[in-house]
Amino acid sequence: MDMLNGPLMGKLIAFAMPIAITSVLQQLFNSADIVVCGRFVGNVALAAVGANFQIINLFINAFLGLSVGANVMIANYIGAGKTQKIYNVVHTAMTFAMLFGVILTILGLFFSRNILIFLGTPEDILAPATLYLRIIFIGMPFMVVYNFGAAILRSIGDTKRPLILLTITGIINVILNIFFVVVFGMGVEGVAIATVTANAISSITIVIFLVKEKSVVKYDFGKFMIAKDSLLKIMKIGIPSAIQGMVFSISNLCVQSAINSLGTSVIAASTAAFNLECFPYFMISAFSSACLTFMSQNYGALQYDRCKVVLKDCMILSLVFSGALIVVIVIFARELLGLFTYDKEVIEIAMRRIYIVCALNWISSFYEVLSAGLRVLRHPMIPAVLIMIGTVFFRFAWIFTVFPIYKTFDSILVVYPLSWVIIIIPMVIAYIKVSKVMLN
């Protein structure tokens, strides 16, 4: 995809939609774990899997953030025409991904139960939740390698092959879910094994894509290297991006611990609603990724005016597409929640999260797209710090001060939109100031 010339709107949509659809499909296939558990095993299994969502997201956001560093640097070097530097970044990124994944597996196997106990996971779901989490950690190397590989492909504008790959492996995941749980009568371990198997196939296939790639991002399998200069540049952008993603997850873990204190039904309801509210966020994240990659190439090519247009168009598209999806979800929420559970009480509790959190999710467009712009302009710590203040500090303070007084599900949920507003105002001011210096 030529990101340096011609009209932008059509190209941004063509780039972002496969990412959004990929994320939606990934969530749908992940939701298959929830559906199978809720329908064929019961609410305890549903809650056990749900109690792990924020923990798993914490680690996923960590390596997604780190992979952003590789995406930005490769796209920058493509714009600047620096082929050798692209080679170094690609091979450094893939080697790092493999090592990082193995370290996560080792840590996860040892500390899964301790993490769940720390978060106040109810005793009746602690054992199955621990089993599920440990199996997922076994597959962490596959998840890390896949996401770094997908980030490398995105840097050249290829968002279609990851979509096709995930569609195939997602279907495999669903089939294995039904096979292990319905046919063999397994519980949470069945859906976990199915997920790890699908992730392994995705990881191996995306490495094959890169090995057979004809462009500048071709990967020579077996060429394990860590180029110090490339790693430092990846980390300079990737670590703040990882921190930004992780602080959201850390704050959500704090919120999850408060939700856990309200009982299994509320955990199950929150899990079901969370699966729906992810979809509009995927649209926002997709256009944030488009902003990141298009701005990076144009910034490397010194096309600063085009960088400004990229960010403006991505913001508009993010608001329009996420807003439209939110309307659909709110209208059909009860029917969609019915896919996860037959329990009417759980559905009614989940509806409260839909109205308070999901309905306002379009607000996230502002800080996500602006964060992408600030990363490209070499100020990745600004969004990381602002999000840390707005989510971790504010949400922690809320959970430890307001929630003990008003111990209800609603009093937990309002912390989300309030924290978004707290982040957005200084983020807008920061981007205006930075862009005046870096894009002029």
Side-chain angles (χ1 to χ4, degrees):
M1 183 179 290
D2 182 2
M3 303 182 190
L4 304 177
N5 303 285
L8 281 166
M9 276 282 190
K11 290 181 179 180
L12 289 169
I13 294 172
F15 180 94
M17 290 312 294
I19 297 178
I21 295 169
T22 298
S23 298
V24 168
L25 286 174
Q26 192 167 28
Q27 186 61 33
L28 284 173
F29 296 138
N30 289 339
S31 297
D33 293 359
I34 303 297
V35 172
V36 171
C37 284
R39 293 251 175 177
F40 298 102
V41 186
N43 281 345
V44 170
L46 175 63
V49 175
N52 281 300
F53 267 19
Q54 296 303 338
I55 300 171
I56 296 168
N57 281 341
L58 172 66
F59 291 97
I60 290 175
N61 285 333
F63 54 74
L64 279 176
L66 291 172
S67 71
V68 165
N71 187 339
V72 170
M73 294 315 305
I74 294 170
N76 246 204
Y77 289 144
I78 290 173
K82 298 180 179 179
T83 305
Q84 182 58 46
K85 288 186 178 291
I86 296 171
Y87 180 90
N88 291 343
V89 173
V90 168
H91 289 78
T92 297
M94 293 302 288
T95 303
F96 173 80
M98 295 174 192
L99 293 173
F100 187 48
V102 171
I103 292 170
L104 284 179
T105 294
I106 295 170
L107 293 174
L109 289 174
F110 277 101
F111 296 108
S112 291
R113 181 178 174 86
N114 303 79
I115 294 169
L116 288 163
I117 291 173
F118 177 76
L119 293 173
T121 305
E123 187 66 33
D124 62 333
I125 65 170
L126 182 59
T130 302
L131 176 60
Y132 179 86
L133 187 57
R134 282 177 175 159
I135 296 172
I136 292 297
F137 267 115
I138 292 173
M140 277 292 176
F142 301 123
M143 297 173 71
V144 181
V145 168
Y146 169 80
N147 281 282
F148 266 80
I152 291 170
L153 290 176
R154 282 198 300 271
S155 68
I156 59 170
D158 184 357
T159 57
K160 293 180 181 178
R161 277 186 292 178
L163 169 59
I164 296 169
L165 173 57
L166 191 72
T167 302
I168 295 170
T169 55
I171 293 170
I172 292 172
N173 185 19
V174 173
I175 293 171
L176 290 177
N177 272 334
I178 296 171
F179 186 73
F180 290 138
V181 175
V182 179
V183 178
F184 280 93
M186 299 172 71
V188 295
E189 70 275 17
V191 294
I193 292 170
T195 298
V196 170
T197 303
N199 286 337
I201 296 171
S202 297
S203 174
I204 293 168
T205 307
I206 208 156
V207 169
I208 293 172
F209 285 164
L210 290 172
V211 169
K212 293 186 175 182
E213 179 62 38
K214 302 298 182 184
S215 72
V216 291
V217 298
K218 177 180 173 57
Y219 175 57
D220 295 328
F221 185 74
K223 178 71 174 179
F224 301 109
M225 63 175 287
I226 298 287
K228 184 179 178 180
D229 178 62
S230 296
L231 182 62
L232 288 175
K233 288 181 178 179
I234 291 171
M235 293 298 105
K236 185 177 180 180
I237 297 172
I239 289 177
S241 300
I243 292 172
Q244 179 176 327
M246 289 175 69
V247 295
F248 264 116
S249 294
I250 291 169
S251 67
N252 286 337
L253 284 172
C254 176
V255 174
Q256 184 65 46
S257 68
I259 291 172
N260 289 348
S261 71
L262 298 178
T264 301
S265 292
V266 175
I267 297 173
S270 184
T271 299
F274 176 78
N275 273 268
L276 295 182
E277 73 192 43
C278 284
F279 297 134
Y281 178 77
F282 293 149
M283 285 291 181
I284 295 168
S285 181
F287 285 107
S288 173
S289 294
C291 180
L292 187 80
T293 304
F294 275 71
M295 274 192 74
S296 293
Q297 281 205 19
N298 283 279
Y299 190 72
L302 308 181
Q303 297 187 164
Y304 298 149
D305 286 341
R306 192 171 172 86
C307 287
K308 297 175 185 177
V309 178
V310 168
L311 186 129
K312 175 180 66 70
D313 287 354
C314 285
M315 184 70 75
I316 293 170
L317 292 169
S318 177
L319 289 167
V320 170
F321 278 84
S322 66
L325 192 52
I326 287 169
V327 170
V328 173
I329 290 173
V330 171
I331 292 173
F332 298 102
R334 281 188 173 81
E335 290 79 5
L336 293 170
L337 290 168
L339 297 173
F340 297 95
T341 179
Y342 293 114
D343 193 320
K344 292 183 178 180
E345 179 190 3
V346 170
I347 291 175
E348 289 307 311
I349 295 172
M351 286 300 299
R352 302 216 295 273
R353 178 158 184 153
I354 295 295
Y355 290 138
I356 296 173
V357 182
C358 182
L360 296 174
N361 218 341
W362 56 271
I363 297 174
S364 304
S365 296
F366 292 98
Y367 66 74
E368 286 290 343
V369 175
L370 291 175
S371 292
L374 286 167
R375 290 175 198 153
V376 174
L377 301 181
R378 302 297 188 267
H379 285 76
M381 280 305 299
I382 292 177
V385 171
L386 291 178
I387 288 174
M388 184 177 294
I389 294 171
T391 57
V392 175
F393 295 157
F394 177 74
R395 291 181 186 178
F396 268 62
W398 185 275
I399 294 301
F400 287 107
T401 57
V402 177
F403 177 63
I405 299 172
Y406 305 99
K407 201 167 183 178
T408 66
F409 191 36
D410 289 358
S411 72
I412 297 174
L413 297 178
V414 294
V415 75
Y416 287 104
L418 289 175
S419 62
W420 297 336
V421 174
I422 288 172
I423 296 167
I424 289 167
I425 295 172
M427 188 84 76
V428 171
I429 296 171
Y431 179 79
I432 291 172
K433 289 185 176 181
V434 169
S435 62
K436 282 183 179 179
V437 175
M438 303 297 290
L439 296 178
N440 288 313

